[in-house]
Coordinates of all heavy atoms in Angstrom, one line a residue:
V56 N -1.7 11.0 3.0 CA -2.3 10.6 4.3 C -3.8 10.2 4.1 O -4.2 9.2 4.7 CB -2.3 11.8 5.3 CG1 -3.1 11.6 6.5 CG2 -0.8 12.1 5.7
R199 N 0.8 18.4 -19.2 CA -0.5 18.3 -19.9 C -1.6 18.3 -18.9 O -2.7 19.0 -19.1 CB -0.5 17.0 -20.8 CG -1.6 17.0 -21.8 CD -1.5 15.7 -22.6 NE -2.5 15.7 -23.7 CZ -2.4 16.2 -24.9 NH1 -1.3 16.9 -25.2 NH2 -3.3 16.1 -25.8
I305 N 1.2 -20.9 3.0 CA 0.3 -19.8 3.6 C 1.0 -19.1 4.8 O 0.8 -17.9 5.0 CB -1.1 -20.4 4.1 CG1 -2.0 -19.3 4.5 CG2 -0.8 -21.5 5.1 CD1 -2.4 -18.3 3.5
P357 N -1.1 1.7 11.8 CA 0.2 1.7 12.4 C 0.2 1.1 13.9 O -0.8 1.2 14.5 CB 0.7 3.1 12.5 CG -0.2 3.8 11.4 CD -1.5 3.0 11.4

Side-chain angles (χ1 to χ4, degrees):
V56 170
R199 194 174 183 88
I305 189 61

